[in-house]
Amino acid sequence: VLGMVDDPANQAQYVFKHNFGSEGHLAIYGGPSSGKTTLLQTIIKSMACLNHPGDVNFYIMDFAGRTLGALVDFPHVGDVLFEEDEEKALSLFRMLRREMDKRKNLNSELGVNTINEYRKTTEEKIPLLVMVIDNISVFNLNYYEKVEDVFDRIIQEGPSLGIVVIFTANSSNEVKLKISTNVSVNIALELADKSEYLFIIGRTEGLYPAHFPGRGLYNSDPPLEFQVALPAPGIYEAERTRDIKQFALRMRNS
């Protein structure tokens, strides 16, 4: 669950969801204080509530405000890495390379094309692996060249192998073309330059997000406006972060 969609043409409002198992990677664009990190918290908490830790695992690279560390106690979260954790980051990509090779071999042995088909046929539990990158510009600057072969492979082949990426960016020019062309679902929260919506969402026919935190558009046909759901109650971020930590600990200890 991401939030609530407003569809005025059909006089409807409904819950905005993204199925990572079938829809693959997700890109979240938005300027400072537009709600990108809050949306990541919402997605991760929502998926943790809806799935057993054996079904989905998160590996989080927090290169923005370091608030995603509050999620580390969820039993679904393998680790939360920060900008200075180079050895842990490189180790993560080595693990992902091995996991991709392993899953590709499993598919080949059974004669299926995707890990979803493998799961259905064998009833074997193989978790969806979700890599979260908050602030892809820092990732590009510090890590991309060191892990380019693995990351590009994840972007191209990952969804069929049950490995997906969620990333945030301040603008479209922070995302390499070979990455953006392999991401089918884009979200644009409030952006300083309105021309950016054309590159990220497509023609909006004059529709732009209202000037309100967490308001955005996604690239449906036609584009629709939505409001990000908060990951926890509380007016202030500190309140919500505290609630998330407590919720994660209760889930881990239950």
Side-chain angles (χ1 to χ4, degrees):
V1 173
L2 283 72
M4 184 69 72
V5 171
D6 184 31
D7 185 357
N10 294 302
Q11 296 184 324
Q13 288 186 325
Y14 51 87
V15 175
F16 181 22
K17 298 180 180 181
H18 180 81
N19 187 326
F20 288 92
S22 60
E23 296 176 283
H25 310 304
L26 176 66
I28 302 168
Y29 297 86
S33 302
S34 61
K36 299 187 295 297
T37 301
T38 299
L39 178 52
L40 290 178
Q41 292 174 328
T42 295
I43 291 170
I44 294 166
K45 184 182 176 185
S46 175
M47 290 181 74
C49 289
L50 295 170
N51 296 277
H52 186 272
D55 295 323
V56 60
N57 300 154
F58 296 96
Y59 296 92
I60 301 170
M61 306 183 85
D62 183 350
F63 298 155
R66 302 178 75 96
T67 56
L68 295 180
L71 302 164
V72 73
D73 288 317
F74 278 104
H76 309 70
V77 174
D79 207 352
V80 178
L81 310 183
F82 301 107
E83 189 175 347
E84 65 273 15
D85 294 330
E86 180 172 347
E87 271 309 308
K88 292 170 80 173
L90 297 179
S91 177
L92 170 61
F93 278 94
R94 287 194 291 269
M95 181 277 287
L96 290 171
R97 179 193 286 115
R98 292 193 299 270
E99 189 64 25
M100 290 187 76
D101 291 339
K102 173 187 171 183
R103 294 183 179 202
K104 202 162 189 176
N105 288 335
L106 290 175
N107 285 347
S108 178
E109 288 169 5
L110 198 62
V112 296
N113 292 319
T114 71
I115 210 69
N116 280 341
E117 292 172 5
Y118 181 90
R119 286 193 198 100
K120 290 175 185 175
T121 304
T122 64
E123 297 185 353
E124 185 178 340
K125 270 188 175 289
I126 299 178
L128 178 74
L129 300 184
V130 183
M131 184 179 184
V132 179
I133 304 174
D134 195 7
N135 195 348
I136 199 167
S137 64
V138 173
F139 172 80
N140 288 339
L141 182 65
N142 294 341
Y143 290 104
Y144 180 75
E145 290 184 359
K146 299 171 185 175
V147 298
E148 180 176 358
D149 58 333
V150 187
F151 189 68
D152 288 355
R153 191 176 162 205
I154 291 170
I155 291 294
Q156 292 165 11
E157 304 175 27
S160 67
L161 300 174
I163 302 174
V164 297
V165 178
I166 313 171
F167 65 81
T168 69
N170 290 315
S171 66
S172 60
N173 60 21
E174 293 181 355
V175 182
K176 297 177 186 300
L177 184 61
K178 60 182 174 180
I179 306 300
S180 62
T181 53
N182 282 283
V183 179
S184 59
V185 181
N186 295 325
I187 288 173
L189 302 175
E190 188 173 15
L191 295 158
D193 183 354
K194 287 189 175 181
S195 67
E196 284 266 61
Y197 292 102
L198 179 62
F199 297 106
I200 297 168
I201 300 297
R203 296 180 64 86
T204 68
E205 305 300 337
L207 176 66
Y208 299 107
H211 181 61
F212 189 82
R215 198 66 58 88
L217 306 180
Y218 76 102
N219 60 334
S220 59
D221 186 19
L224 293 174
E225 188 173 17
F226 77 100
Q227 175 65 44
V228 170
L230 291 176
I235 297 173
Y236 301 108
E237 186 175 24
E239 294 177 74
R240 299 194 295 268
T241 299
R242 184 171 60 250
D243 187 278
I244 291 168
K245 286 181 178 179
Q246 293 171 349
F247 185 90
L249 283 169
R250 288 197 302 272
M251 184 173 279
R252 180 176 288 275
N253 295 329
S254 64

